[in-house]
Amino acid sequence: MSTFTLAIHGGAGTILKSMLTPELETKYLQGLQQALDKGYEVLAQQGSSLDAVKAAIMSLEDNELFNAGRGSVFTKKGINEMDAAIMEGTQLGGGAVAGVRNIKNPIALAKEVMLHSGHVMLSGNGAKEFALNRGMEMAPDEYFFTKYRYDQWIEIRDSDFYQLDHKEDNLKGMPSQEKKFGTVGAVAVDMNGHIAAGTSTGGMTNKRYGRIGDSPLLGVGTYANDATCGISCTGHGEYFMRAVVAYDVSCLMEYKGLSLQEACHIVVKEKLVKMGGEGGLIAVDALGNFELCYNSEGMYRGVRTSEGINKVAIYKD
Amino acid sequence: MSTFTLAIHGGAGTILKSMLTPELETKYLQGLQQALDKGYEVLAQQGSSLDAVKAAIMSLEDNELFNAGRGSVFTKKGINEMDAAIMEGTQLGGGAVAGVRNIKNPIALAKEVMLHSGHVMLSGNGAKEFALNRGMEMAPDEYFFTKYRYDQWIEIRDSDFYQLDHKEDNLKGMPSQEKKFGTVGAVAVDMNGHIAAGTSTGGMTNKRYGRIGDSPLLGVGTYANDATCGISCTGHGEYFMRAVVAYDVSCLMEYKGLSLQEACHIVVKEKLVKMGGEGGLIAVDALGNFELCYNSEGMYRGVRTSEGINKVAIYKD
């Protein structure tokens, strides 16, 4: 096997053409292409799928258009708290961080947790302490301040609404036009057939209570296994957690013998729909097959393969 | 179906008869029986499996012998940080808390998160704020102070060792005799065939960095689904997370048609052993079948059924 494939997403939800100006649409597509190219370059230079996933996600984290890293949304307290996870499918190694602040690239910290902490998941100030001990790149609060996210927050700050959430009651009357699940992710298979997956997010605008969603949870928002697939999810985190989405796709392949496409379809378009869980996922298998699967109006997404496929998209095909 | 079953655990690990005095052994067995009876009483009075699981776990949390609630171990900073999760198998509802302090019964808070937060998982100070808003019972630091746990901590405080962990390097030279994974849990099926599962823990002695283990993660340390099984795990959390243990048992039943016993055996005695993951789990299915399965030297455990089975045990049978 000498082919390789990289897929990315920048979140799913009610993304309609009428909601984006042509200029903004172009910026999103450029941001997706840039991230895709960063990750693809790693694979083309015979790098690992783990490094490709990290490179692609760092690019999305550094882009203030996406709700992760720099562009993270504000919590109820007006701060940025981020989650991320990364996993490699050969040894089933994984690392994750939850509720971290002032970390420039949470996905890089997740990889550091995987390789050097002796643990899988670190949270809050403890995760930050680990980051400082490991010499990770930090960033001041101002780095994470983006006018767009701040305005978003101000708009709903004094309400009990939280945006990007699943409760109908909490969306009713919400001023924002856009019901969007802001998360970024990448999955890749390299020329050695090794699979990796990663996810990073700033969570929900105006979130409270140290809420942890599906993104940093191995088997839920992020999973990789060379024997089956690599998965990164975006959507109503609470539903994804109850459905153990990423590992469900893997088990349908491993235990029922389904193809990547069949397994993704059943989980996203049947099981999640039945529960009421909106969102999507990106997936690859060891043969280089890929799926960009969602049950929402749109998903910021892209895929590039050694076979020449190279595309980015936002709305429904 | 009018039978019902409850199983509990109080942690697994290297628990040898030579390590417990006869007095301490009796206390452990009494504590297990007490928790078993509390939960069984709920089921016998036609209560739900969810309430039975909560009652059994609260009893173990209130008992300072077990590493959860009152008996929680000390972190590197000399404080108690607890995790818990609960799930019901009818609607696949779930709630979890991670890194909480001063909550008398974390399992009760997990249930409150499930029913009233609109989220699945809350952490740290945010989870505490939610608990206060909901009027949950709090407890001062002194409540969680137990001489035994404090001495345990003092013994390894100034080292880089953390107890109850999986890294060989971190156990080498560790003063403690006992490699034990302190967690408590319960699984139950009620007379309506509804399944529930819960897990609660104080984590590892001398833990750092806001480490989150498998206990509060749905699909990993805790899972319930009326169509398959209810599971609560105890062991080297990091391995359990990478193996998505609880949902793996469920998928082996659902997708491969294995029995509860076969599925538990494959995951605990084959897959986890191959990875190097020590520990065990308790499980029930909708028919009232149960499994108390572990690959370690011992597991504090008990089971009581409407068919008349009623036993508690510590060492290998």
Side-chain angles (χ1 to χ4, degrees):
Chain A
M1 161 126 183
S2 58
T3 62
F4 45 89
T5 298
L6 172 77
I8 62 169
H9 71 77
T14 309
I15 313 167
L16 300 170
K17 207 170 171 61
S18 57
M19 286 156 46
L20 292 184
T21 62
E23 293 73 26
L24 199 53
E25 185 181 312
T26 303
K27 276 190 185 173
Y28 271 113
L29 291 172
Q30 282 171 345
L32 289 167
Q33 189 64 55
Q34 201 166 38
L36 208 48
D37 293 346
K38 287 273 186 192
Y40 186 84
E41 200 179 329
V42 173
L43 294 174
Q45 291 173 358
Q46 305 188 30
S48 70
S49 51
L50 189 68
D51 286 333
V53 160
K54 181 183 154 191
I57 292 178
M58 282 179 69
S59 175
L60 293 165
E61 285 178 339
D62 292 343
N63 186 331
E64 65 178 52
L65 286 175
F66 299 98
N67 178 18
R70 181 166 207 176
S72 292
V73 298
F74 288 87
T75 69
K76 185 88 181 166
K77 293 185 176 164
I79 58 177
N80 306 103
E81 284 182 349
M82 303 167 285
D83 304 331
I86 200 163
M87 187 163 178
E88 56 81 16
T90 310
Q91 303 292 326
L92 303 182
V97 292
V100 296
R101 299 185 57 188
N102 301 113
I103 305 295
K104 183 164 181 282
N105 291 104
I107 197 69
L109 180 56
K111 188 182 167 199
E112 199 77 1
V113 168
M114 172 179 131
L115 296 177
H116 301 294
S117 74
H119 296 302
V120 168
M121 189 170 190
L122 304 182
S123 66
N125 286 332
K128 189 172 171 179
E129 188 187 323
F130 172 76
L132 288 166
N133 286 349
R134 296 295 308 176
M136 302 298 292
E137 190 171 358
M138 310 300 284
D141 287 347
E142 305 84 75
Y143 173 80
F144 299 94
F145 179 90
T146 55
K147 183 82 173 65
Y148 169 63
R149 297 301 186 191
Y150 185 74
D151 290 346
Q152 242 184 3
W153 175 62
I154 286 294
E155 195 183 11
I156 59 170
R157 174 182 58 169
D158 301 322
S159 70
D160 269 336
F161 300 119
Y162 42 87
Q163 200 175 358
L164 320 186
D165 193 26
H166 65 286
K167 284 189 75 182
E168 280 300 320
D169 288 347
N170 263 80
L171 293 170
K172 223 175 277 171
M174 199 177 70
S176 172
Q177 301 288 322
E178 200 182 351
K179 193 169 122 197
K180 193 165 79 71
F181 308 105
T183 314
V184 309
V187 293
V189 53
D190 59 33
M191 56 176 66
N192 297 309
H194 295 319
I195 295 176
T199 311
S200 180
T201 185
M204 305 177 307
T205 298
N206 217 32
K207 75 172 173 187
R208 295 177 71 178
Y209 298 143
R211 177 255 191 189
I212 296 177
D214 63 313
S215 305
L217 308 180
L218 301 186
V220 182
T222 306
Y223 187 71
N225 185 336
D226 287 359
T228 53
C229 59
I231 306 276
S232 171
C233 298
T234 172
H236 294 209
E238 278 69 15
Y239 289 92
F240 282 63
M241 291 162 86
R242 291 164 51 206
V244 201
V245 167
Y247 195 54
D248 201 25
V249 173
S250 177
C251 286
L252 283 167
M253 294 177 70
E254 185 173 0
Y255 301 145
K256 282 199 101 167
L258 299 192
S259 69
L260 182 75
Q261 185 181 30
E262 290 167 333
C264 291
H265 189 100
I266 285 178
V267 173
V268 175
K269 303 204 170 175
E270 295 177 19
K271 294 176 85 167
L272 276 173
V273 168
K274 207 187 245 177
M275 292 177 83
E278 193 180 333
L281 56 78
I282 53 171
V284 293
D285 68 15
L287 300 173
N289 295 310
F290 64 86
E291 281 298 314
L292 314 173
C293 191
Y294 53 99
N295 61 34
S296 49
E297 285 294 331
M299 181 165 79
Y300 297 102
R301 62 199 186 275
V303 59
R304 191 169 172 191
T305 78
S306 56
E307 310 284 274
I309 294 173
N310 184 7
K311 64 169 187 178
V312 292
I314 301 177
Y315 318 111
K316 269 192 183 153
D317 288 326
Chain B
M1 160 123 188
S2 57
T3 62
F4 44 90
T5 299
L6 173 76
I8 62 169
H9 72 74
T14 309
I15 312 168
L16 300 169
K17 206 170 172 58
S18 58
M19 285 157 44
L20 292 184
T21 62
E23 293 73 28
L24 199 54
E25 185 180 311
T26 302
K27 277 191 185 173
Y28 271 113
L29 292 171
Q30 282 171 345
L32 290 168
Q33 189 63 55
Q34 204 166 35
L36 209 46
D37 294 346
K38 287 274 187 193
Y40 186 85
E41 201 179 325
V42 174
L43 294 175
Q45 291 172 358
Q46 305 187 30
S48 70
S49 52
L50 188 69
D51 287 333
V53 160
K54 180 184 156 191
I57 292 177
M58 281 180 69
S59 176
L60 294 164
E61 285 177 339
D62 292 345
N63 187 330
E64 64 178 52
L65 286 174
F66 300 98
N67 177 20
R70 181 165 207 176
S72 291
V73 298
F74 289 88
T75 68
K76 184 90 182 168
K77 291 183 176 164
I79 57 177
N80 306 104
E81 284 182 348
M82 303 169 287
D83 304 331
I86 200 162
M87 187 164 179
E88 56 80 17
T90 310
Q91 302 293 327
L92 303 182
V97 291
V100 295
R101 298 185 58 189
N102 301 112
I103 305 294
K104 183 163 180 284
N105 291 105
I107 196 70
L109 180 57
K111 189 183 166 197
E112 200 76 1
V113 168
M114 172 178 130
L115 297 177
H116 302 294
S117 74
H119 296 302
V120 168
M121 189 169 192
L122 304 182
S123 66
N125 287 331
K128 189 172 172 179
E129 188 187 324
F130 173 75
L132 289 167
N133 286 349
R134 296 293 309 172
M136 302 299 291
E137 190 170 359
M138 310 300 284
D141 287 348
E142 306 83 77
Y143 172 81
F144 299 94
F145 179 89
T146 56
K147 183 81 174 66
Y148 169 62
R149 299 298 186 195
Y150 185 74
D151 291 347
Q152 246 185 1
W153 175 61
I154 287 293
E155 195 182 10
I156 57 170
R157 174 181 58 168
D158 301 323
S159 70
D160 269 336
F161 300 120
Y162 42 90
Q163 200 174 358
L164 321 185
D165 194 24
H166 66 285
K167 282 191 76 182
E168 281 298 321
D169 288 348
N170 264 79
L171 293 169
K172 223 177 278 170
M174 197 176 72
S176 170
Q177 300 288 320
E178 200 182 349
K179 192 168 119 196
K180 192 165 80 69
F181 308 104
T183 314
V184 308
V187 293
V189 53
D190 60 33
M191 55 177 67
N192 296 310
H194 295 318
I195 295 176
T199 311
S200 181
T201 186
M204 306 178 305
T205 298
N206 217 34
K207 76 171 172 186
R208 295 175 72 177
Y209 298 141
R211 177 256 190 190
I212 297 178
D214 63 315
S215 305
L217 308 181
L218 300 187
V220 182
T222 306
Y223 186 71
N225 186 337
D226 287 359
T228 55
C229 59
I231 306 277
S232 171
C233 298
T234 172
H236 294 208
E238 278 70 13
Y239 289 93
F240 282 61
M241 292 161 86
R242 291 164 48 205
V244 201
V245 167
Y247 195 56
D248 201 25
V249 173
S250 178
C251 286
L252 282 166
M253 294 177 70
E254 186 172 359
Y255 302 143
K256 281 200 100 169
L258 299 191
S259 69
L260 183 73
Q261 185 180 31
E262 291 167 333
C264 291
H265 189 101
I266 284 178
V267 173
V268 175
K269 302 201 171 178
E270 294 177 19
K271 293 175 86 167
L272 276 173
V273 167
K274 206 187 245 177
M275 290 177 85
E278 194 179 333
L281 56 80
I282 53 173
V284 293
D285 68 16
L287 300 172
N289 296 310
F290 63 87
E291 283 297 313
L292 314 172
C293 191
Y294 53 97
N295 61 35
S296 49
E297 285 293 331
M299 180 165 80
Y300 297 102
R301 63 199 185 274
V303 60
R304 192 169 170 190
T305 77
S306 57
E307 310 283 272
I309 293 172
N310 184 7
K311 65 170 188 177
V312 291
I314 301 176
Y315 317 112
K316 268 192 185 154
D317 287 326

